């Protein structure tokens, strides 16, 4: 009887014992929620520096600030990597309106990134509403020439994963001006990439590719409420003319930097694991969600390892990439330098989906590594992390190439992300401190596990 009781007690104790990894993850999450500086860093980036559009003074200040903060962490190396980036300025506040009888109806618009300006006095032309680039092409030159094309395909609310909804309609923003210009349109207005109805226009890059400068037409985003109102007016006013004016301008490329800090690997310093986000942001807000959050979370990964006295086997490197929003010059430059220096990257993680509650990871890897990462699900379950899907990791880590590299994107809850994405309300108060810190802990936990078991 005593032996049976002893055996029962021993089994019970074993069933409730904690593995080394469970203990380490608990320490990572505790430290992130009680000691991390990531929220304070974001406060400074957002409220003391503001937007960090590539080529701007804000971007320059962001580079100097984050380098300075990384230098306080006691890392083995902190340095800047030079990169040439586009410089584009929005200019005066954009204007758009229609006149219906004696009434002038104004619409909230903003120039799309890298768009050309309208003529000095603006443009006024008849409007043609389309839902897709295919519908535009079907109209042909005869119907499009001299018109303003209004792309009005909403994000599809049926998609639970809102990035799928974004991907299903963002082509009208990225390619609409180029395609409409080839058919003789004089301007483009694009419905904002936003699931909710509000009065905030959302910017984002338009891509003219190789279109000659004198053939490029101005492109602007209109708020979702504005798009609904304009569409309604067009149904009863087929000859409606829209006026819009914007004064944005591009300049020659300027020098900027990726900001890099690293902890040397204790066993395999030649094997590199990267974690990062993009330091640049659009100019309407202060870029807290996109992607100040990802930057400070990535910095916090190294901060947490130092606080917990964890000595990684492999070199852990944080990279704050410049110019993701309108060129990806930082990500491209980093990959070029890595190839030139014959660096061997085994892992790269990016956070560029907002500072909301983490839900899991999007994994780009071979089957063996995908199964290995998925096998750690039980360790993450206490922290409500449950998504381990195959998919895209991130725009800035995408160019990095090494044999059998594993790339991962942090997957936060996405339901409210596009309320803020590229809009004037992407500000510090949109980020919840606890959610931000949980994201940092989740990233550090996966970095720890991959470092230990690779």
């Amino acid at each position: 009887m005593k032996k049976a009781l002893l055996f029962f007690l021993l089994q019970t104790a074993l069933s409730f014992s904690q593995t080394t990894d469970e203990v380490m993850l608990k320490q990572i999450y505790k430290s992130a929620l009680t000691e991390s500086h990531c929220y304070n860093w974001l406060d400074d980036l957002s409220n003391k520096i503001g937007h960090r559009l590539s080529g701007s003074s804000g971007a320059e200040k962001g580079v100097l600030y984050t380098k300075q903060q990384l230098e306080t962490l006691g890392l083995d190396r902190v340095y800047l990597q030079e990169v040439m980036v586009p410089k584009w300025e929005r200019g005066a506040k954009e204007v758009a309106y229609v006149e219906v009888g004696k009434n002038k109806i104004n619409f909230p618009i903003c120039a799309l990134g890298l768009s050309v300006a309208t003529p000095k006095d603006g443009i006024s032309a008849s409007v043609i509403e389309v839902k897709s680039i295919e519908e535009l092409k079907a109209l042909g030159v005869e119907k499009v020439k001299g018109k303003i094309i209004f792309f009005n395909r909403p994000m599809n609310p049926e998609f639970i994963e809102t990035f799928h909804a974004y991907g299903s309609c963002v082509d009208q923003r990225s390619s609409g001006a180029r395609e409409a210009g080839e058919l003789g349109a004089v301007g483009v207005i694009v419905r904002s990439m936003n699931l909710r109805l509000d009065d905030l226009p959302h910017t984002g890059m338009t891509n003219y590719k190789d279109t000659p400068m004198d053939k490029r037409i101005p492109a602007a985003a209109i708020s979702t409420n504005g798009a609904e109102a304009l569409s309604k007016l067009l149904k009863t006013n087929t000859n409606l003319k829209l006026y819009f004016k914007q004064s944005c301008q591009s300049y020659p490329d300027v020098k900027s930097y990726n900001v890099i800090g690293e902890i040397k690997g204790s066993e395999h310093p030649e094997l590199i694991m990267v974690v990062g986000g993009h330091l640049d942001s659009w100019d309407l807000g202060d870029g807290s969600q996109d992607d100040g959050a990802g930057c400070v979370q990535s910095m916090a990964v190294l901060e947490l390892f130092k606080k917990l006295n964890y000595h990684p086997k492999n070199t852990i490197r944080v990279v704050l990439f410049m110019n993701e929003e309108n060129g990806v010059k930082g990500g491209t430059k980093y990959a070029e330098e890595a190839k030139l220096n014959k660096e061997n990257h085994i892992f790269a993680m990016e956070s560029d989906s907002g500072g909301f509650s983490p839900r899991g990871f999007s994994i780009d890897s071979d089957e063996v590594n995908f199964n290995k990462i998925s096998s750690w699900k039980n360790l993450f379950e206490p922290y409500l992390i449950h998504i381990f899907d195959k998919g895209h990791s991130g725009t800035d880590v995408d160019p990095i190439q090494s044999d059998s590299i594993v790339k991962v994107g942090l997957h936060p809850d996405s339901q409210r992300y596009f309320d803020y994405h590229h809009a004037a309300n992407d500000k510090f108060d949109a980020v919840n401190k606890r959610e931000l810190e949980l994201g940092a802990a989740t990233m550090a936990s996966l970095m720890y596990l991959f470092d230990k078991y690779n």
Side-chain angles (χ1 to χ4, degrees), residues 97-114:
Y97 62 81
V98 298
E99 292 181 334
V100 180
K102 295 181 179 180
N103 296 320
K104 179 190 286 187
I105 303 172
N106 293 291
F107 298 104
I109 69 163
C110 67
L112 294 182
L114 299 188

Side-chain angles (χ1 to χ4, degrees), residues 54 59 63 85 256-258 279-280 320-324 329-330:
S54 71
V63 166
V85 299
S256 189
Y257 302 92
N258 294 327
L279 189 53
D280 63 304
L320 309 182
F321 298 94
M322 183 56 68
N323 183 234
E324 187 271 350
K329 295 293 182 68

Side-chain angles (χ1 to χ4, degrees), residues 9 237 342 346:
L9 291 173
N237 298 268
K342 297 181 180 180
I346 60 172

Side-chain angles (χ1 to χ4, degrees), residues 348 350-352 362-364 391-395 397-398 407-410:
E350 185 167 336
S351 174
D352 186 20
S362 176
I363 304 164
D364 179 8
H392 178 64
S393 54
T395 301
V397 301
D398 195 50
K407 299 178 184 179
V408 175
L410 179 69

Side-chain angles (χ1 to χ4, degrees), residues 14 51 76 111 120 136 149 180 257 284 297 331 338 346 360 375 441-442:
L14 287 173
H51 87 74
D76 294 310
K120 184 178 179 180
L136 166 72
I149 299 300
Y257 302 92
L284 298 178
Q297 287 173 328
I346 60 172
S375 72
T442 301

Side-chain angles (χ1 to χ4, degrees), residues 264-338:
K264 287 287 186 184
S266 59
E267 296 181 24
H268 301 290
E270 77 284 0
L271 300 181
I272 299 170
M273 297 174 58
V274 162
V275 60
H278 66 85
L279 189 53
D280 63 304
S281 71
W282 284 112
D283 56 320
L284 298 178
D286 58 43
S288 291
Q289 294 283 9
D290 186 20
D291 183 34
C295 286
V296 299
Q297 287 173 328
S298 299
M299 294 166 65
V301 170
L302 276 68
E303 178 197 31
L304 290 168
F305 286 168
K306 295 296 289 186
K307 283 183 178 294
L308 296 172
N309 201 30
Y310 175 69
H311 302 284
K313 294 193 311 179
N314 308 295
T315 293
I316 306 292
R317 184 180 288 174
V318 59
V319 184
L320 309 182
F321 298 94
M322 183 56 68
N323 183 234
E324 187 271 350
E325 292 293 6
N326 56 353
V328 200
K329 295 293 182 68
T332 303
K333 179 68 172 181
Y334 180 84
E336 289 173 351
E337 290 293 315

Side-chain angles (χ1 to χ4, degrees), residues 232-243:
K232 186 176 180 180
L233 284 170
L234 287 169
K235 287 178 171 59
T236 55
N237 298 268
T238 55
N239 295 318
L240 192 71
K241 286 191 174 184
L242 174 73
Y243 170 88

